Amino acid sequence: MNNKGKNPALSTAKSEGFANISVASERSGVSAKMIRHYEDIGLMAKVDRTMAGYRIYREADIHILRFIRRSRDLGFSTNEIGNLLGLWQNRRRASADVKRLALRHIADLDKRIAEMQAMRTTLQTLASCCRGDQRPDCPILEDLAS
Amino acid sequence: MNNKGKNPALSTAKSEGFANISVASERSGVSAKMIRHYEDIGLMAKVDRTMAGYRIYREADIHILRFIRRSRDLGFSTNEIGNLLGLWQNRRRASADVKRLALRHIADLDKRIAEMQAMRTTLQTLASCCRGDQRPDCPILEDLAS
DNA sequence: GTTAAACCTTACCATCATGGGAAGGTCAAG
DNA sequence: CTTGACCTTCCCATGATGGTAAGGTTTAAC
């Protein structure tokens, strides 16, 4: 049977090695909810559907989802992931472009880490001055109220 | 003139030392938008109003706003700030309760810092292996696609 | 005394990444 | 043919913050 360009039945798609959304989710580590979301916002191209409208995923799609997942785990924003995907799929990319994205993200992380470190340091100082007993006197509150 | 319990005109309120929301904002460092929001969600009690419905702030209110601001700057969530405010205003508090909140927040910061540090380390390693030139070969993308 | 600027009010909408749930269609197994 | 486990879309929620629009108030200037 030649199904080129036609929407298959679900059983046909499965027997041809396509995955439905829950299998794609399992295999990529991205929730079905987020898979649909990434399609909505255009991070992933729309995938094919069965006759009944079920999304079907081929290996390449699942590979993209894993790429997204890994990027997300490294803290990249949706936008940055879009850029990374574009570079990944562009055979004529310059690795300099990828590296620039990565370094910018590192700088971003550094900034956020430094902010939180500063908070941490202040809080630690205050907490270490607080007796932490039944009495109300508390340098932490005094600082907050200052 | 005795205005106890009545809603004053704005000019009256101002001459009695009350501040309107933009002055309260300036003096506390909290945007008018967020001042209203904190009132909406019950973090701050509803303040008095003029006859025309304008919010008016006394020193004590502004003091609370500064407390919120400082707490927010130290990374406390709205919820935690609510707890801190409760302790601050409770003369029979135990400093142990305040300290516990602070230590829990420090632990939270530590967790988030560690997560970001881990991302940073991975990215740094990958980036340092990337030549960053005009060629497409890139260990960063290879990792993301792995 | 009127008018214009600069306020104030409420009520929405948006962000970002994620999840929950409802209403309704589809499919596979008993 | 029914049941349960899927799938679909659509709407709502988070948390902290900002934007804007429509409409009322106050103040300062003419």
Side-chain angles (χ1 to χ4, degrees):
Chain A
M1 213 190 324
N2 178 359
N3 274 331
K4 255 182 214 158
K6 298 211 194 88
N7 289 29
L10 182 55
S11 54
T12 310
K14 281 184 178 173
S15 69
E16 289 174 3
F18 288 81
N20 62 15
I21 200 166
S22 65
V23 170
S25 170
E26 257 173 49
R27 307 229 340 252
S28 65
V30 179
S31 71
K33 204 87 189 179
M34 290 311 292
I35 293 178
R36 294 192 194 97
H37 178 64
Y38 293 145
E39 188 181 308
D40 280 351
I41 64 176
L43 187 56
M44 261 196 91
K46 296 194 176 186
V47 295
D48 288 344
R49 306 275 187 134
T50 65
M51 288 184 308
Y54 285 23
R55 291 174 178 81
I56 51 182
Y57 295 86
R58 51 193 86 214
E59 273 308 307
D61 297 322
I62 292 172
H63 202 175
I64 291 173
L65 287 170
R66 279 204 215 99
F67 184 102
I68 293 174
R69 170 82 210 277
R70 175 77 178 139
S71 304
R72 201 191 56 184
D73 286 349
L74 287 176
F76 287 103
S77 69
T78 306
N79 225 342
E80 291 167 324
I81 296 174
N83 295 141
L84 288 168
L85 274 172
L87 289 167
W88 184 39
Q89 280 156 359
N90 174 6
R91 261 170 282 118
R92 282 186 296 285
R93 67 180 167 259
S95 65
D97 290 338
V98 184
K99 190 167 182 171
R100 192 168 345 106
L101 268 178
L103 292 179
R104 203 196 306 151
H105 183 45
I106 289 175
D108 200 62
L109 286 171
D110 283 345
K111 194 170 136 232
R112 290 194 276 152
I113 290 169
E115 283 168 4
M116 291 200 287
Q117 284 283 12
M119 293 175 186
R120 203 218 113 94
T121 302
T122 302
L123 278 165
Q124 184 62 62
T125 304
L126 292 171
S128 70
C129 295
C130 175
R131 280 185 303 244
D133 58 17
Q134 289 310 111
R135 281 172 291 182
D137 317 81
C138 176
I140 303 168
L141 289 180
E142 275 163 33
D143 178 279
L144 293 175
S146 74
Chain B
M1 214 189 326
N2 178 358
N3 275 330
K4 255 182 215 161
K6 298 210 195 88
N7 289 30
L10 181 55
S11 54
T12 310
K14 282 184 177 173
S15 69
E16 288 175 4
F18 288 82
N20 63 14
I21 200 167
S22 66
V23 170
S25 170
E26 257 174 50
R27 308 231 337 253
S28 65
V30 180
S31 71
K33 203 84 190 182
M34 290 310 294
I35 294 177
R36 292 192 195 98
H37 178 64
Y38 293 146
E39 188 181 308
D40 279 352
I41 64 176
L43 187 55
M44 261 197 92
K46 296 194 177 186
V47 294
D48 289 343
R49 305 276 185 131
T50 65
M51 288 182 308
Y54 285 24
R55 291 173 178 82
I56 50 181
Y57 295 85
R58 51 194 86 212
E59 275 308 308
D61 298 321
I62 293 172
H63 202 176
I64 291 173
L65 286 170
R66 279 204 216 97
F67 184 102
I68 292 174
R69 170 83 209 276
R70 175 78 177 139
S71 304
R72 200 193 57 184
D73 286 348
L74 288 175
F76 287 103
S77 69
T78 305
N79 226 342
E80 290 167 323
I81 296 174
N83 295 141
L84 288 168
L85 273 173
L87 289 167
W88 184 40
Q89 280 155 0
N90 174 6
R91 262 172 281 119
R92 283 186 296 286
R93 67 179 165 259
S95 64
D97 291 338
V98 183
K99 190 167 184 171
R100 193 170 343 106
L101 268 177
L103 293 178
R104 203 197 303 151
H105 182 46
I106 289 175
D108 201 62
L109 286 171
D110 283 345
K111 195 170 135 231
R112 290 194 276 152
I113 290 169
E115 283 168 5
M116 291 200 287
Q117 284 283 12
M119 292 175 186
R120 203 217 113 94
T121 301
T122 302
L123 278 165
Q124 184 63 60
T125 303
L126 292 172
S128 70
C129 295
C130 174
R131 280 185 303 240
D133 58 16
Q134 289 310 110
R135 281 171 292 180
D137 318 82
C138 177
I140 301 168
L141 288 180
E142 275 164 32
D143 178 279
L144 292 175
S146 72

